[in-house]
Amino acid sequence: MALTLGILQGGGALVGGDLEFLILPPIGIQIGGGLVGYGAGINIHLKKHIRSSFVSLQYWQQGGSGDGFVQSVIGPNFVYRSKKWFTAQIGLGRVLDRGPAFPNDVEPQDIVLMYAIGGYFPLARH
């Protein structure tokens, strides 16, 4: 398994983290959260180990619940992992829902850019 920490990690949280488990290499699942957000994903690694890049189908819940809810998004992402610690991801997401905390001065879009940057730390070897 591996822990990822960074900006917009953990479901698009301002600062957050994800915990990933390889359930059947190269397939992994991740769950995470952070400063006002949470998310989950299903990952397919390019190699059969946790230190490899992967494609992921991710769900992001941005903002808290109730009046703090901003939006929920689902979409595919490509996640780059360096051999040591650096990670970055980019993808496109379909907005499923918007909440009361969605900014009034932002034009709503149905498809949004999903991205994050941070570091990852393997916690166990397979």
Side-chain angles (χ1 to χ4, degrees), residues 37-120:
Y38 61 88
I42 299 172
N43 308 332
I44 300 175
H45 284 261
L46 302 181
K47 298 181 180 174
K48 292 187 177 188
H49 57 81
I50 203 86
R51 287 190 176 271
S52 66
S53 300
F54 56 92
V55 292
S56 180
L57 178 62
Q58 296 184 9
Y59 170 81
W60 289 7
Q61 172 88 19
Q62 296 179 305
S65 60
D67 290 341
F69 172 60
V70 177
Q71 66 184 359
S72 59
V73 180
I74 191 167
N77 284 257
F78 175 75
V79 180
Y80 168 78
R81 280 190 173 161
S82 72
K83 292 181 182 179
K84 299 214 177 199
W85 64 271
F86 178 77
T87 184
Q89 75 178 51
I90 192 159
L92 292 174
R94 170 101 168 116
V95 175
L96 301 173
D97 194 18
R98 287 191 185 81
F102 190 84
N104 292 328
D105 60 344
V106 174
E107 181 70 30
Q109 303 293 320
D110 291 335
I111 304 295
V112 295
L113 190 62
M114 299 171 78
Y115 55 93
I117 190 167
Y120 79 99

